[in-house]
Amino acid sequence: MVTLVLPRLVSFEGAPRRSASVAERNFTALRSAYWLVLVSGFLEPVLYLFSIGVGVGALVGDLTLPGGQVVSYAAFVAPAMLASSAMSGALSETTFNFFGKMKYMKLYDGVIATPVQPFEIALGELAWAMIRGSLYSAAFLVIMVVADLTTAARAAVAFPAAVLVGFAFGALGMSVSTLMRSWQDFDLMGSAQFTLFLFSGTFVPAEAYPVALRWLVEATPLYRSVHLIREICVGGSGGWPLDVAYLVVLTVGMLALASRRMGRMLYR
């Protein structure tokens, strides 16, 4: 009698160790040139901060937040740049790089020949993406403290919030990558990412938008990320528990979707 054993999409036995092995493989393969990638990705939000937050901020002046706090425009923009930096760092690893390894390098076809399961691959790739996102966030927070855009105590609390943002967008990026058919599809993703960057309360308060557009803006993941980090860095009217819940649900849901999609693609 032959028993057919179907591959499990999720197995938590030894999952942390096997997921860590996936992240370690990425570090070993990319460590020679990785610092150049980190520096180039980190400079973009810093340049935005000083060109728009400081340069344009001299023309805009101070802003009054919904909670009544009056802050400089640079202090208003800086948390948004931190959230955007965490988003960009996570998406860079879990979209282009992840798609290339899965679709063209066929890396994961060899990985699943080992005891590593699709969920563990997704978790390991997400952990690797968070290494990059966390480095961006830590360096950016140091700049914010030095520039007197937040306090050291607030920055210490903002760091785990930025890590959570990275996890959410990393899981989202992997899910999107499993739906992509070719490199050309990433043009649409790039447009969506840039739209989020411009219209997520990044440069103007969400209250400045018409009511219908404001509700749409407030439903986006980057707005929830910007709102959370801004609440921590400069204070506000509350509402951060909703932001945390939103990002946690997004992370868990997208990670589960990515692992299931990977299982179907790798075992077919």
Side-chain angles (χ1 to χ4, degrees), residues 70-221:
V70 178
V71 299
S72 67
Y73 189 67
F76 175 82
V77 169
M81 293 298 100
L82 174 57
S84 299
S85 178
M87 174 188 72
S88 298
L91 286 180
S92 295
E93 287 292 343
T94 58
T95 52
F96 296 101
N97 295 344
F98 179 79
F99 180 78
K101 285 183 284 190
M102 179 174 60
K103 187 81 172 181
Y104 293 96
M105 295 173 60
K106 303 296 183 181
L107 175 67
Y108 304 133
D109 291 67
V111 172
I112 61 170
T114 70
V116 179
Q117 299 294 311
F119 176 78
E120 295 159 355
I121 295 174
L123 198 60
E125 291 291 352
L126 184 57
W128 172 245
M130 285 318 306
I131 294 174
R132 178 172 177 174
S134 297
L135 289 173
Y136 284 174
S137 300
F140 196 88
L141 282 166
V142 170
I143 291 178
M144 288 178 62
V145 172
V146 171
D148 198 26
L149 299 177
T150 190
T151 65
R154 287 181 179 270
V157 179
F159 179 72
V163 171
L164 175 59
V165 172
F167 268 114
F169 278 100
L172 178 61
M174 277 193 294
S175 296
V176 170
S177 295
T178 62
L179 300 172
M180 295 296 179
R181 298 162 298 177
S182 66
W183 293 113
Q184 285 71 27
D185 291 340
F186 282 99
D187 292 338
L188 297 175
M189 195 208 74
S191 299
Q193 184 178 343
F194 190 65
T195 301
L196 283 177
F197 176 67
L198 292 178
F199 299 101
S200 295
T202 314
F203 301 109
V204 296
E207 291 75 15
Y209 296 115
V211 175
L213 183 57
R214 174 185 171 184
W215 284 106
L216 179 61
V217 166
E218 292 182 352
T220 62

